[in-house]
Amino acid sequence: EFTQRAFLNGRIDLTQAEAVNDMIQADTRENARLAMYGIRGSVRKLLDPLIKELLDMIANIEVNIDYPEYEDIEEITQEKLLPKAKHWLLEIENILKKANSGQIIREGIKTAIIGRPNVGKSSLLNALLEEEKAIVTDIAGTTRDIVEGHIRLEGGLQLNLIDTAGIRDTQDIIEQKGIEKSYQIMEDAQLVILVLDGSAPLQEEDLRLLKDSENKTRIIVYNKSDITDKHLEGIQISAANQEIQPLLDEIHRLF
């Protein structure tokens, strides 16, 4: 209530009000540090000059339209306005990139584990969480609905993990629904971990997933390194034996 009154009376802006909530919700030192920047008005200091610049451009355009007869007013032409507008957009893009990094630190990385059935997606989820969160069997299609979990890595990085139903052609209506949901989750994810069976040749479903995920931020991992002597180009892990450090190293490198 106190923060609401401060916002409504102009003592703080919306970014500062949101930062107060971020501070309350912060569960790591890094999140608390980011929230303090917001409370001190760091976001506001970034935006205020851009707001002023935009209003100046709009005002100049409106004056030229409304009072064309005034000779002492600078004529705003496209040649003068476009460079200013492009510079303004560039500044906005830079701020959005920084904001995305802050959001990842604050909220975590939405991470989808995808692959065809029986490649070890659920085993990988369990290895990452260090607990038996998902059911693991040799029966294809065991995971029909999404299974979620959260882990915090070194450096304060949080993964919001989602284990999806294995992608394959099936007549099972329930499994089909799970596969549809898997594709939606992959579309929304900030990171896709595509799990392939390192002990077997690539199958049609693998090739389809490689193509469907090529425009996403993704990590391709070859699982079951404990039962194969093949040397594959890429990240090799054994989820069943909790040997997943190469994957964790790649996540840190990416983010």
Side-chain angles (χ1 to χ4, degrees):
E1 184 185 354
F2 181 82
T3 309
Q4 182 186 36
R5 288 208 310 271
F7 168 68
L8 292 174
N9 290 313
R11 304 292 295 181
I12 59 173
D13 73 351
L14 187 59
T15 63
Q16 290 171 294
E18 289 176 336
V20 172
N21 185 56
D22 289 341
M23 175 60 82
I24 294 166
Q25 303 293 337
D27 55 358
T28 67
R29 189 180 296 274
E30 187 66 21
N31 285 354
R33 188 174 67 84
L34 284 173
M36 277 306 304
Y37 281 135
I39 291 170
R40 288 172 184 157
S42 297
V43 179
R44 186 175 186 170
K45 287 171 188 171
L46 275 175
L47 296 179
D48 279 350
L50 288 168
I51 293 168
K52 183 181 182 304
E53 196 176 332
L54 183 61
L55 290 173
D56 285 346
M57 283 191 279
I58 293 169
N60 285 330
I61 292 167
E62 289 180 347
V63 167
N64 273 253
I65 292 169
D66 293 341
Y67 306 104
E69 69 276 11
Y70 288 175
E71 294 180 0
D72 57 338
I73 295 173
E74 180 190 6
E75 184 182 356
I76 299 297
T77 61
Q78 184 169 294
E79 287 74 20
K80 291 180 180 177
L81 192 63
L82 269 180
K84 289 182 179 179
K86 285 178 179 176
H87 176 264
W88 190 88
L89 281 171
L90 188 63
E91 290 292 316
I92 289 290
E93 285 171 8
N94 288 334
I95 287 175
L96 286 173
K97 284 177 186 174
K98 292 176 184 176
N100 188 48
S101 298
Q103 184 180 17
I104 283 172
I105 292 170
R106 187 171 61 252
E107 299 177 7
I109 306 161
K110 190 173 183 181
T111 306
I113 303 173
I114 64 167
R116 62 179 173 82
N118 281 4
V119 293
K121 299 184 302 301
S122 296
S123 294
L124 176 56
L125 177 77
N126 290 341
L128 285 164
L129 296 176
E130 298 181 351
E131 65 171 295
E132 295 298 312
K133 182 86 172 182
I135 298 169
V136 177
T137 74
D138 293 329
I139 303 167
T142 302
T143 304
R144 297 182 170 209
D145 205 348
I146 61 171
V147 182
E148 299 184 55
H150 308 276
I151 59 164
R152 192 165 294 280
L153 307 179
E154 289 179 26
L157 200 61
Q158 177 174 301
L159 294 186
N160 301 324
L161 296 161
I162 307 170
D163 178 25
T164 62
I167 307 295
R168 65 168 179 168
D169 292 324
T170 177
Q171 301 303 313
D172 188 305
I173 295 173
I174 298 173
E175 195 177 347
Q176 284 175 358
K177 290 285 184 184
I179 291 168
E180 287 173 17
K181 197 179 287 187
S182 297
Y183 270 103
Q184 184 58 57
I185 288 164
M186 181 171 70
E187 185 64 32
D188 296 339
Q190 294 167 302
L191 172 64
V192 170
I193 299 176
L194 174 54
V195 184
L196 304 173
D197 186 343
S199 67
L202 291 180
Q203 297 186 15
E204 187 180 334
E205 291 94 341
D206 298 320
L207 298 174
R208 189 195 316 165
L209 284 168
L210 283 165
K211 186 175 186 305
D212 291 343
S213 65
E214 62 185 355
N215 294 323
K216 301 291 297 182
T217 300
R218 73 177 178 185
I219 300 173
I220 299 169
V221 297
Y222 293 91
N223 190 30
K224 305 185 184 179
S225 63
D226 54 315
I227 58 171
T228 180
D229 55 2
K230 291 194 294 183
H231 294 287
L232 302 163
E233 286 189 14
I235 296 166
Q236 291 185 259
I237 64 168
S238 172
N241 294 335
Q242 285 79 47
E243 295 169 4
I244 58 171
Q245 191 58 46
L247 170 60
L248 297 177
D249 292 341
E250 180 63 10
I251 292 169
H252 275 291
R253 189 190 70 78
L254 276 176
F255 292 93

